[in-house]
C-alpha cells in the first residue's frame, strides 16, 4: 500500500514504529489525515512579557517542557514521585545537586601562605608607622598653618572623600534599581560624550595623537549604537533580575558596605606604612664616593633593602586587596546561586541566612581557593609595577623603555584574561566548593562549549557600572579640590600637592564605588553561570529572561541540554 501524501506523516516518520516506514510486523495503521497547523509568525520580545507566570514553549526548534508543578497538598514523601532523600525532584532541581552547602577545605596551602604573608606585612607596617614624625596627626588649631601633609586637617579631607563616595554610591544604586532600562541608554551615550570630550580637550592642549585617537574611537563607538541597541532588552531584564535579588537579600549590600570599610582601613594602613618606610629605611642606605673621567668626585647611594621592602609592600597591597574583593565576590555569588537553584523549591532554601552562610564558606572552606586565584593576579600586577618603575628611571634609555613597554602590554593582556576567568571561576567555587584549578577548568568548559561568552559580551551592565564609577570619581575629586582650595594649607602653598590629591581622590572614589556595587556585577556573573549549567530552573522561575535567552542565544540553551555530562 502506498500513500499519496507522505508529507502529512512527517512527524511520525521520525519515531520508530510509526508512519509509512514502520516495520510491517508492528501492524500500525497510518494516522488519520489531519489538516496542517497554520503557520506561526515570529513574535517580538513583548509577546513573552504578557504572562510571566506561564512557561511558553519555543516555536519550533528546541522543545524543553516545563517541569510539573508540585501537588497542592505539598511535595510527596522522600523517595516517592521522583523526589530524592532531601525532598527535591531529581529532574526539576538537577542544578541544586551542584550546590554544595558544606564543601571541604580547598587549597589550604594558599590560605596558610596568605596569612603568613599578611602577618609579616603587619609587623613591617608597625615599624614603618612608628618612624613617622611625632608632629604628624596633631591638631595645630589652624588649618592654614598646617606644615605637615600627615596631619589632622588632611585626615578630615580624606574622611570627606570617603563619605561622599559612599553617599554617591548608595544613591546611584537606588537610581539603578528604579530606572534600569534608562540607565543602560544613558550610560552608552555618556561613554560616547566622554570619549569625544576627552579627545577635544587633548586637541585643544595640542596633544594631537591622543586627541585624534579619542575622537575617532568616540565616533566609532557612537556608530556601534545601531548594532548594539538590540542588546538593551536583554541587558535590561538581566539588570532588573539582579536588582530584584539584591532587594530580596539586602544583606548583599550591607556586606558590600562592610567590605568597603575593611578595604578602606587596609588602604589607609598601607599608605601610612609606605610613608613611614622612607624614614625607617634610611639607616640601611649605603653611599660610596667615585671619581669621574674629569677627576671630579661624586657620591652614589643605594638601598637594596629599601627596594626589596617596597616591592614586598606593593605585592602585599595587590594580594590583600584582591583577596578582600574576591571574598566579597564569592560570598555574593553564593547568595545569588542559592536564590537561583532553591527559589520556589519544595524544601525551601538550604539555610535561613544565605548571605551569612555563603560568607562563612568564603572565609573558611573556600578561602584557600580565593587566595590561590588572587595570588596569580597579584604576581602579574607586581611585575607590571616594577616595569613601570624601570621605565620612569630609565627615561633616557629608549631601548629599555621600549622593551619594558612591550612586556608591560603583554602582561596587561594576560592580567585581563586571568581576571576574566577568575571572576567566573569564583562562581564555580561558590556553588560547588571546588578547588581553584578545577573551578578554572570548569569555567573554560562552560565558556568554550556553552557559548556563554556571547551573553557576557552582549550584556551592557558593565557600561552602567563604569559610568557610575566615573561620575562618582569626578564628584569626589571636585570635593577634594574645593577643600584644598578653600582651606589653603601651608604645605600646599606652591600647589604641588593639588594634582596628587585630586588624582588620589579620583582613584579612591572609583575603587570604592566598584566595591559597593559589587552586588550587581557578581549577581550578573552568577546568573550567566547558573543559566548555562541548568536553564530549566530559569525557565521555571524567570520565563521572561529565559525567553529572551532562548530567542537571542539558542546555542547557550542547546549546548547545555545536548551535553548534560557536565554535571
Amino acid at each position: 500500500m502506498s500513500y499519496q501524501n507522505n508529507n502529512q506523516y512527517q512527524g511520525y516518520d521520525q519515531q520508530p514504529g510509526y508512519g509509512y516506514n514502520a516495520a510491517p510486523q508492528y501492524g500500525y495503521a497510518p494516522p488519520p489525515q489531519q489538516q496542517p497547523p497554520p503557520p506561526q509568525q515570529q513574535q517580538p520580545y513583548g509577546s513573552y512579557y504578557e504572562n510571566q507566570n506561564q512557561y511558553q514553549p519555543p516555536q519550533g526548534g528546541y522543545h524543553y517542557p516545563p517541569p510539573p508543578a508540585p501537588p497542592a497538598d505539598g511535595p510527596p514523601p522522600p523517595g516517592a514521585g521522583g523526589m530524592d532523600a532531601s525532598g527535591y525532584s531529581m529532574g526539576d532541581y538537577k542544578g541544586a545537586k551542584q550546590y554544595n552547602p558544606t564543601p571541604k577545605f580547598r587549597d589550604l596551602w594558599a590560605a596558610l601562605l596568605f596569612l603568613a604573608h599578611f602577618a609579616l606585612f603587619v609587623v613591617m607596617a608597625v615599624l614603618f608607622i612608628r618612624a613617622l614624625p611625632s608632629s604628624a596627626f596633631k591638631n595645630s588649631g589652624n588649618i592654614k598653618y598646617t606644615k605637615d601633609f600627615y596631619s589632622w586637617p588632611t585626615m578630615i579631607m580624606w574622611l570627606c572623600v570617603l563619605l561622599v563616595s559612599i553617599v554617591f554610591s548608595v544613591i546611584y544604586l537606588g537610581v539603578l534599581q528604579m530606572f534600569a532600562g534608562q540607565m543602560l541608554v544613558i550610560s552608552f551615550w555618556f561613554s560616547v560624550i566622554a570619549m569625544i570630550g576627552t579627545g577635544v580637550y587633548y586637541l585643544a592642549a595640542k596633544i594631537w595623537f591622543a586627541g585624534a585617537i579619542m575622537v575617532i574611537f568616540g565616533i566609532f563607538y557612537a556608530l556601534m549604537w545601531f548594532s548594539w541597541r538590540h542588546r538593551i532588552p536583554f541587558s535590561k531584564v538581566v539588570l532588573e533580575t539582579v536588582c530584584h535579588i539584591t532587594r530580596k537579600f539586602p544583606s548583599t549590600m550591607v556586606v558590600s558596605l562592610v567590605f568597603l570599610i575593611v578595604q578602606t582601613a587596609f588602604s589607609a594602613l598601607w599608605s601610612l606604612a609606605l610613608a613611614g618606610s622612607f624614614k625607617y629605611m634610611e639607616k640601611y642606605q649605603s653611599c660610596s664616593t667615585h671619581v669621574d673621567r674629569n677627576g671630579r668626585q661624586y657620591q652614589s647611594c643605594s638601598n637594596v633593602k629599601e627596594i626589596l621592602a617596597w616591592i614586598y609592600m606593593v605585592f602585599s597591597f595587590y594580594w590583600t586587596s584582591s583577596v578582600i574583593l574576591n571574598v566579597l565576590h564569592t560570598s555574593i555569588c553564593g547568595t545569588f546561586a542559592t536564590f537561583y537553584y532553591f527559589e520556589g523549591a519544595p524544601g525551601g532554601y538550604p539555610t535561613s541566612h544565605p548571605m551569612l552562610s555563603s560568607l562563612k564558606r568564603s572565609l573558611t572552606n573556600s578561602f584557600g581557593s580565593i587566595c590561590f586565584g588572587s595570588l596569580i593576579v597579584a604576581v602579574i600586577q607586581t611585575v607590571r609595577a616594577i616595569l613601570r618603575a624601570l621605565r620612569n628611571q630609565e627615561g633616557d634609555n629608549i631601548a629599555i623603555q621600549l622593551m619594558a613597554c612591550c612586556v608591560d602590554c603583554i602582561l596587561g593582556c594576560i592580567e585581563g584574561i586571568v581576571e576574566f576567568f577568575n571572576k567566573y571561576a569564583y562562581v564555580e567555587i561558590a556553588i560547588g566548593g571546588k578547588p581553584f584549578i578545577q573551578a578554572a577548568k570548569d569555567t573554560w568548559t562552560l565558556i568554550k562549549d556553552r557559548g556563554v561568552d556571547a551573553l557576557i559580551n552582549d550584556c551592557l551592565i558593565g557600561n552602567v557600572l563604569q559610568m557610575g564609577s566615573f561620575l562618582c570619581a569626578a564628584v569626589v575629586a571636585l570635593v577634594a579640590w574645593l577643600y584644598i582650595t578653600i582651606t589653603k594649607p601651608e604645605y600646599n602653598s606652591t600647589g604641588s600637592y593639588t594634582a596628587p590629591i585630586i588624582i588620589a581622590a579620583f582613584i579612591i572614589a572609583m575603587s570604592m564605588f566598584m566595591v559597593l556595587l559589587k552586588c550587581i556585577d557578581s549577581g550578573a556573573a552568577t546568573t550567566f553561570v547558573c543559566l548555562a549549567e541548568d536553564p530549566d530552573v530559569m525557565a521555571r522561575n524567570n520565563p521572561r529572561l529565559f525567553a529572551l535567552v532562548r530567542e537571542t542565544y539558542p546555542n547557550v540553551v542547546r549546548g547545555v541540554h545536548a551535553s548534560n555530562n557536565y554535571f
Side-chain angles (χ1 to χ4, degrees):
M1 179 181 297
S2 61
Y3 300 96
Q4 300 298 327
N5 188 2
N6 294 331
N7 295 329
Q8 58 184 314
Y9 306 120
Q10 290 178 355
Y12 296 86
D13 295 341
Q14 300 174 0
Q15 304 181 21
Y18 286 87
Y20 64 90
N21 289 327
Q25 62 269 24
Y26 288 100
Y28 290 128
Q33 184 174 358
Q34 298 178 355
Q35 295 296 330
Q40 299 180 356
Q41 299 179 355
Q42 184 71 23
Q43 299 182 9
Y45 290 146
S47 62
Y48 294 104
Y49 301 164
E50 297 176 356
N51 189 358
Q52 300 181 16
N53 298 323
Q54 181 178 0
Y55 174 86
Q56 299 182 8
Q59 301 176 6
Y62 318 110
H63 296 274
Y64 310 122
D73 55 350
M83 307 295 287
D84 62 4
S86 61
Y88 296 100
S89 169
M90 299 295 291
D92 300 346
Y93 296 92
K94 172 184 56 178
K97 306 297 291 185
Q98 288 292 105
Y99 185 85
N100 186 3
T102 57
K104 300 178 181 179
F105 283 91
R106 305 291 190 180
D107 299 313
L108 186 59
W109 66 270
L112 296 177
L113 182 61
F114 173 80
L115 294 177
H117 130 272
F118 188 75
L120 178 58
F121 164 76
V122 172
V123 173
M124 294 174 60
V126 172
L127 295 176
F128 292 162
I129 293 176
R130 292 179 60 183
L132 288 172
S134 58
S135 59
F137 310 109
K138 289 185 178 180
N139 189 0
S140 61
N142 193 333
I143 296 178
K144 295 185 177 181
Y145 295 100
T146 302
K147 297 182 179 180
D148 298 323
F149 176 78
Y150 292 96
S151 58
W152 182 247
T154 306
M155 295 300 102
I156 295 178
M157 179 188 67
W158 292 122
L159 182 61
C160 293
V161 168
L162 299 179
L163 291 178
V164 174
S165 301
I166 293 175
V167 172
F168 185 93
S169 301
V170 172
I171 294 176
Y172 190 87
L173 181 60
V175 173
L176 194 62
Q177 298 267 2
M178 294 184 293
F179 307 101
Q182 292 83 345
M183 293 297 290
L184 288 168
V185 178
I186 293 174
S187 64
F188 180 91
W189 290 109
F190 177 84
S191 301
V192 173
I193 295 174
M195 287 183 186
I196 297 178
T198 304
V200 172
Y201 171 79
Y202 283 155
L203 292 176
K206 298 183 179 180
I207 307 177
W208 307 112
F209 181 77
I213 291 296
M214 293 299 295
V215 171
I216 292 174
F217 271 93
I219 296 175
F220 178 76
Y221 199 70
L223 295 177
M224 291 298 294
W225 167 258
F226 298 99
S227 61
W228 285 7
R229 58 184 177 182
H230 71 279
R231 305 178 182 181
I232 297 294
F234 169 72
S235 302
K236 178 182 178 182
V237 177
V238 173
L239 184 57
E240 290 175 347
T241 301
V242 172
C243 292
H244 167 72
I245 300 176
T246 56
R247 291 193 299 268
K248 183 178 180 64
F249 297 102
S251 56
T252 56
M253 293 177 281
V254 175
V255 172
S256 299
L257 181 60
V258 172
F259 272 79
L260 174 60
I261 297 174
V262 173
Q263 174 64 31
T264 303
F266 169 74
S267 300
L269 176 65
W270 185 87
S271 300
L272 293 176
L274 183 64
S277 65
F278 292 92
K279 183 69 175 177
Y280 183 84
M281 300 301 293
E282 285 181 354
K283 57 185 178 182
Y284 298 107
Q285 183 175 353
S286 60
C287 299
S288 58
T289 303
H290 302 274
V291 180
D292 60 11
R293 288 180 293 182
N294 298 324
R296 291 177 295 187
Q297 294 183 349
Y298 67 94
Q299 278 193 337
S300 176
C301 299
S302 62
N303 196 334
V304 178
K305 293 184 178 180
E306 183 181 45
I307 295 175
L308 294 177
W310 288 349
I311 292 176
Y312 185 82
M313 290 282 291
V314 171
F315 169 75
S316 180
F317 177 80
Y318 283 133
W319 196 10
T320 305
S321 299
S322 182
V323 168
I324 293 174
L325 294 180
N326 290 330
V327 167
L328 173 62
H329 172 64
T330 307
S331 302
I332 296 176
C333 291
T335 306
F336 273 77
T338 304
F339 174 87
Y340 185 90
Y341 288 125
F342 295 98
E343 176 68 15
Y349 293 124
T351 174
S352 56
H353 301 285
M355 185 65 204
L356 293 180
S357 299
S358 181
L359 178 61
K360 179 182 177 182
R361 294 195 303 271
S362 300
L363 291 174
T364 54
N365 305 81
S366 301
F367 187 69
S369 301
I370 295 174
C371 294
F372 187 7
S374 303
L375 175 61
I376 300 175
V377 177
V379 170
I380 299 175
Q381 291 174 330
T382 303
V383 175
R384 294 189 65 192
I386 295 174
L387 290 175
R388 286 193 292 266
L390 291 176
R391 289 170 55 187
N392 295 332
Q393 290 183 355
E394 300 293 338
D396 298 332
N397 195 324
I398 300 179
I400 293 180
Q401 275 202 339
L402 182 60
M403 184 180 300
C405 182
C406 294
V407 176
D408 183 46
C409 181
I410 295 173
L411 289 177
C413 297
I414 297 176
E415 179 186 348
I417 295 174
V418 172
E419 288 181 341
F420 175 82
F421 276 96
N422 281 6
K423 177 180 178 180
Y424 295 94
Y426 292 134
V427 180
E428 296 286 346
I429 293 173
I431 296 175
K434 305 173 184 178
F436 177 77
I437 296 296
Q438 183 62 40
K441 291 180 180 179
D442 292 344
T443 301
W444 171 257
T445 302
L446 193 73
I447 295 177
K448 178 182 178 182
D449 297 342
R450 270 69 180 176
V452 183
D453 54 337
L455 278 76
I456 297 173
N457 294 332
D458 286 356
C459 187
L460 301 178
I461 294 180
N463 289 18
V464 179
L465 298 181
Q466 290 176 2
M467 180 190 71
S469 64
F470 183 84
L471 290 177
C472 178
V475 171
V476 172
L478 177 61
V479 171
W481 178 79
L482 290 175
Y483 185 93
I484 201 72
T485 302
I486 295 175
T487 58
K488 297 179 180 179
E490 186 176 350
Y491 64 78
N492 194 38
S493 58
T494 61
S496 58
Y497 280 86
T498 301
I501 288 176
I502 293 176
I503 295 174
F506 189 91
I507 296 174
I508 291 173
M510 183 174 291
S511 61
M512 290 181 64
F513 178 90
M514 296 305 296
V515 172
L516 196 58
L517 271 77
K518 195 69 176 178
C519 54
I520 303 297
D521 185 45
S522 302
T526 308
T527 301
F528 294 147
V529 172
C530 294
L531 167 64
E533 290 190 348
D534 193 356
D536 289 335
V537 177
M538 180 172 289
R540 179 183 62 249
N541 293 337
N542 195 343
R544 178 186 180 188
L545 178 57
F546 180 78
L548 278 176
V549 175
R550 184 189 57 202
E551 180 177 333
T552 312
Y553 313 97
N555 290 334
V556 176
V557 180
R558 180 180 58 185
V560 175
H561 280 271
S563 178
N564 287 329
N565 57 0
Y566 177 73
F567 294 97

